[in-house]
Amino acid sequence: MAMTDVRKATEQKMLKSIDALKIDLSKVRTGRAHTGLLDHLQVEYYGAMVPISQVANIGLADARTISVQPWEKKLLPAVEKAIRESDLGLNPASQGDMLRVPMPALTEERRRELTKVIKHEGESARVAVRNLRRDANQQLKELLKKKEISEDGERRAQDEIQKLTDKFVADIDRLVGEKEKEIMTV
């Protein structure tokens, strides 16, 4: 494995950390409704746990309401229970063969709690990126030990890895800042 391979592999893994952070941040609820909010919820369907999106149509009734229409009427209570018991703090209302899930307005206290969650997600992503830097530097030391690269080459490669790390940590800080601003905006 050459220095460029180490750098490329590290950059790919760091990009995956950023993508994972984006997905995690998209799950943190602002006052607006969006269908992705229910993506991680599961419901029992013929003895197996499956995502709600595989047993129901999920759409937006309006800017603050998600509509959920199970494909089988008998699933309605199970879907309603899954949404109600989730960590999202939502209260679905049954309306015939569909559910309406209104988004409650965010209180100041709830907004502060959500910013803590966002900061925690950001810190986890920063730790992941730093761990990748450590792994890459370890691989470079191995290459040096095997005499596949020179000491100067190792130092240059470590500098590049550090620059990558700084860039991705800055991206994480920017994403976290944007999400915080979005949540604190009433």
Side-chain angles (χ1 to χ4, degrees), residues 101-118:
V101 187
M103 295 289 115
L106 292 177
T107 62
E108 187 66 27
E109 181 184 345
R110 182 71 179 133
R111 288 175 198 277
R112 282 202 184 83
E113 284 173 26
L114 289 174
T115 56
K116 284 180 189 164
V117 169
I118 290 166

Side-chain angles (χ1 to χ4, degrees), residues 78-179:
V79 172
E80 184 175 358
K81 182 178 175 219
I83 295 171
R84 186 161 290 151
E85 291 178 356
S86 73
D87 56 353
L88 298 170
L90 300 174
N91 194 11
S94 183
Q95 213 176 40
D97 60 349
M98 71 177 287
L99 293 171
R100 292 177 60 77
V101 187
M103 295 289 115
L106 292 177
T107 62
E108 187 66 27
E109 181 184 345
R110 182 71 179 133
R111 288 175 198 277
R112 282 202 184 83
E113 284 173 26
L114 289 174
T115 56
K116 284 180 189 164
V117 169
I118 290 166
K119 284 179 178 162
H120 177 74
E121 296 287 352
E123 188 51 38
S124 297
R126 279 191 284 276
V127 167
V129 166
R130 289 186 198 120
N131 287 342
L132 291 168
R133 174 189 60 193
R134 184 196 60 218
D135 295 346
N137 286 341
Q138 200 63 46
Q139 289 175 320
L140 292 169
K141 279 186 177 69
E142 293 293 318
L143 290 174
L144 181 64
K145 210 182 282 179
K146 293 178 188 169
K147 299 201 183 322
E148 291 180 24
I149 59 172
S150 66
E151 284 184 24
D152 286 347
E154 184 214 14
R155 222 171 288 119
R156 265 196 313 277
Q158 280 187 351
D159 287 346
E160 278 185 39
I161 297 292
Q162 184 59 50
K163 282 180 187 150
L164 268 181
T165 304
D166 294 343
K167 175 187 165 306
F168 282 106
V169 166
D171 287 352
I172 290 167
D173 293 343
R174 182 182 49 76
L175 287 168
V176 168
E178 286 171 4
K179 188 68 175 186

Side-chain angles (χ1 to χ4, degrees), residues 65-81:
T65 311
I66 299 173
S67 64
V68 181
Q69 188 163 18
W71 296 326
E72 296 176 27
K73 196 171 174 101
K74 68 176 188 178
L75 275 175
L76 199 67
V79 172
E80 184 175 358
K81 182 178 175 219

